[in-house]
């Protein structure tokens, strides 16, 4: 009975015993192989227990179940992998998972985020630029590219945001990032103009 297997897995998880939890979630998976929750929880427990190699096939299965919408699958997997404390190991795991999905922007974005966390900015920049080439309208990718450029190439970061806004002028979060970046570069008049536009377009916003 899938309901009994699920309940047993929940109880094992609440007990804090990792070995019992892994066994219980594997049993639940065997009884209800189509349940994405069982796979997600099993991967989460394995990551929490410091076993990314064992979590990898479970995460790959999750991506398989989202084949019709792989972008959603990668955003879910990223949320599971991102908190992992060993950042180089998290990056390796995500690169391995992303490798079969070269045409999925969210796969590149996830690798870029974890590369940034692991201190590999050249890889992060390369990956986020691939994400942007696949989904030029995606504000999260534009924002990350600008963040990565901000420290060493601030004028290029401004240009990324400016170009994005010329194509998507209603992107409020990007305009806010642009206004703040202008301020940081002491371009006060332009920054004021952007903040005034934000205030006019969003009169109820605390930002």
């Amino acid at each position: 009975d899938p309901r009994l297997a699920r309940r047993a897995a929940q109880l094992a998880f609440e007990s804090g015993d990792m070995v019992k939890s892994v066994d219980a979630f594997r049993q639940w998976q065997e009884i209800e192989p189509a349940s994405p929750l069982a796979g997600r929880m099993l991967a989460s427990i394995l990551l929490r227990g410091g076993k990314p190699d064992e979590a990898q096939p479970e995460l790959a299965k999750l991506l398989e179940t989202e084949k019709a919408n792989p972008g959603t699958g990668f955003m879910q997997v990223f949320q599971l992998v991102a908190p992992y404390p060993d950042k180089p190991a998290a990056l390796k795991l995500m690169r391995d998972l992303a490798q079969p999905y070269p045409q999925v922007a969210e796969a590149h974005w996830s690798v870029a985020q974890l590369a940034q966390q692991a201190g590999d900015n050249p890889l992060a920049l390369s990956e986020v630029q691939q994400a942007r080439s696949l989904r030029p309208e995606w504000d999260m990718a534009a924002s990350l590219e600008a963040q990565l450029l901000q420290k060493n190439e601030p004028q290029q970061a401004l240009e990324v945001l400016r170009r994005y806004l010329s194509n998507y002028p209603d992107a409020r979060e990007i305009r806010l990032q642009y206004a703040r970046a202008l301020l940081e570069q002491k371009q006060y008049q332009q920054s004021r103009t952007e903040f005034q536009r934000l205030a006019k377009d969003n009169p109820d916003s605390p930002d």
Side-chain angles (χ1 to χ4, degrees), residues 89-109:
L91 172 59
K92 180 186 179 302
L93 173 58
M94 188 59 79
R95 289 186 84 176
D96 289 345
L97 290 166
Q99 198 264 333
Y101 298 89
Q103 298 304 312
V104 178
E106 291 83 353
H108 292 288
W109 179 88

Side-chain angles (χ1 to χ4, degrees), residues 3-147:
R3 286 171 303 176
L4 287 175
R6 179 176 181 165
R7 182 68 184 136
Q10 286 172 330
L11 289 170
F13 178 69
E14 286 163 14
S15 76
D17 186 323
M18 189 188 143
V19 175
K20 277 185 186 171
S21 297
V22 169
D23 287 345
F25 277 98
R26 286 200 197 283
Q27 283 175 5
W28 177 16
Q29 254 191 338
E30 284 171 22
I31 292 167
E32 195 178 7
S35 168
L37 181 59
R40 263 202 305 274
M41 289 296 294
L42 178 55
S44 176
I45 291 162
L46 289 166
L47 285 168
R48 203 175 296 181
K51 298 187 174 182
D53 291 345
E54 288 184 41
Q56 185 174 330
E58 304 305 328
L59 294 167
K61 279 185 220 164
L62 285 178
L63 292 170
E64 280 284 316
T65 63
E66 289 285 354
K67 247 187 174 166
N69 195 354
T72 301
F74 269 100
M75 297 308 275
Q76 291 173 352
V77 165
F78 171 73
Q79 288 175 342
L80 291 170
V81 176
Y84 192 66
D86 182 341
K87 298 309 178 187
L91 172 59
K92 180 186 179 302
L93 173 58
M94 188 59 79
R95 289 186 84 176
D96 289 345
L97 290 166
Q99 198 264 333
Y101 298 89
Q103 298 304 312
V104 178
E106 291 83 353
H108 292 288
W109 179 88
S110 298
V111 172
Q113 283 278 8
L114 291 166
Q116 182 189 32
Q117 289 181 22
D120 190 341
N121 268 31
L123 175 63
L125 194 56
S126 168
E127 290 289 335
V128 80
Q129 286 168 345
Q130 288 181 73
R132 290 203 65 203
S133 72
L134 291 162
R135 276 190 66 191
E137 81 292 349
W138 191 19
D139 60 343
M140 287 168 68
S143 174
L144 180 58
E145 183 178 4
Q147 282 175 41

